[in-house]
Amino acid sequence: MSLMSIHRTPAFRHRVCSHLCRFIAGLALASSTAVASNELTAPLPELLPWKGASEKLVQQKGDWVTPAEASDFKTTPDYEATRAFANRLAAASDDIQVSDTGAANSGRKIQLITVTEGGSDAKANGKPTLLAQAGIHSGEIDGKDASFMLLRDYIGDDKSLKALISKVNLLIIPILNVDGHERAGPHTRMNQRGPHNAGWRTNRNNLNLNRDYAKLDTPELRAVMDVINQYKPELYLDIHVTDGEDYQYDITYGYNGSFASDSPKIVRWLEQTFQHNVDSALTKAGHVPGPLVFGVNSDEFAEGISHWTATPRYSNGLGDLRHTPTVLVENHSLKPYRQRVLGTYELIKASLASLAEHGNALRAAITEDQQQRPQTQVLAWSANKTPDLSVYAEKPFKGMAYEKKQNPISGKESVVWLGKARDYLGLPVFRDDVKAVEVRVPEAFYIPRHEKLVIERLKAHGIEVSDAKGGPLPLTQFTVEAHEFGKAPFEGHFRVDAKFSQERIQRPVDDYLEVSTNQSLGKLATALLDPRGPDSFFQWGFFNQIFQRTEYAEPYALIPLAEKMLAQDADLRSAFEKRLQDKTFAENPSARLAFFYQRSPYYDQEYLKYPVLLKY
């Protein structure tokens, strides 16, 4: 998933001691030979032996052996073979329907598989719905092959699955990143054990779909929002595979914790009901479920792990804001593909069982969270520097042993995982529970009608947007006082960070659209439209036009205007004389002229003004 980049800054030294030159030259020759024969693979840490009860799920013969099983889990079916197998499942059962929900920019369509008892309408049959999404990073495709095995067993009259689908609807997106899925090969995922033809992380526009949940730049993510808005799933599984450290857990998952959640009732259900059910089922099947974790120091795992609070650019961060219970699944990349797929099968089945038994309680939690109307909202959290030592005080973290060795390639000590289990008692946990950005929630936002892109994205999220009328209304406008653009593009945008001043204004709103925060998605609207939020449309660069000046003043017109202004305004003359006491200003003709231009009626009154107005 590459979230580890949040916590790491790898350093590769460019100067190598002369006594290593022959070694490196020989390595380069060996590497080029291996690449030519397509045999160069990254050596990975040794495995712990594994044999789980879920092995009984595998079929090796018969008409319904899945493509992954047919290859002994060495490969995964390509785009066309995936679509064909899904269509074959649908042809075999009236309960399974296959449709397309949007398409990538290449034209490849995104399949949606719907499983309901008797083929009833999942939008209207009154049953809770589980959405399982695979392949947002298409090299992390465990969910696709696990889903195919589960659906194969369903049409094969698996009584337990039949009983679950009688109570719950199941939606499956087998491949979200359909273009990245076809950029496949043995060298796409260096730190992952299979499949041999894993796909690529980003789509064909080189955008990471798992950074697009807030801004919705990609048609793939807009397709996901269509599914969520239409079907309103009670539970959403976003299935990934980790990067990073070695540990014993094979199936890890998480969500924004109760210490920093915008959906506290939902999180309570996830912590008290879902986690218990899933962990029990996975353990019974021979798997080792664990928490979604990221090491705080890649060079010293024992320093602790981070309990991350996601912003809405990620699925679990967005789900928390929109009150859609969302679980980010991260199977462990160093475990074999077979083991990961079987664990994912058990995870999906256990999720269905949780909804079947406790769906009404979850629905009640969703309703309670949707009815929240807070006066303030935290838009960003930062890590607490004081660790929580209680989480693993009695029950240890199931890690792996490692040692540090001086390495001639990196020029420093590097971690070497030893392939042996090691339990970490008292492992520090650093929570993102410090309020970094907290704002007052307005009654409504007012967006100029010409901001079509922003309005379209709000509607794609399902946020209610209405015509604004009347006025003038007392509104608050933000003005940028200082700003800094990103030094490099990120996900196709030059992001911008700014500091603001605020002023109260009176303005008619006939040319605006209103976004009230008195709606179930009011928290999401605030996160997207308050410019101080890290995933606001402002910080993603949707309003960068306010940093442009398109009208200017010529000295031959401005100088006599300035003389006239000084003659008419004693306060202005006093302010100018005070500024002249600053030698830098006094010796800068452009700054002196700008002083008057900025105070003249000719100056652009929209320059550096955030165009979205707030009503408190």
Side-chain angles (χ1 to χ4, degrees), residues 123 131 216 222-233 322 324 457-463 521 524:
K123 302 173 191 173
L131 169 60
L216 295 183
R222 293 196 293 275
V224 172
M225 285 304 106
D226 285 345
V227 171
I228 290 175
N229 288 327
Q230 291 176 35
Y231 290 89
K232 296 178 173 54
R322 63 174 292 131
T324 298
R457 299 292 166 85
L458 290 169
K459 290 180 177 179
H461 275 293
I463 294 171
L521 297 181
L524 177 57

Side-chain angles (χ1 to χ4, degrees), residues 140-147 239-241 331 337 340-341 344:
E140 306 167 16
I141 203 63
D142 307 17
K144 177 187 72 176
D145 290 317
S147 297
I239 303 171
H240 294 248
V241 179
N331 298 334
Y337 190 53
R340 302 197 320 260
V341 168
T344 306

Side-chain angles (χ1 to χ4, degrees), residues 48 50 250-251 287 335-344:
L48 293 174
W50 179 82
D250 56 355
I251 308 295
H287 295 273
K335 303 299 185 287
Y337 190 53
R338 178 191 190 98
Q339 181 178 350
R340 302 197 320 260
V341 168
L342 296 179
T344 306

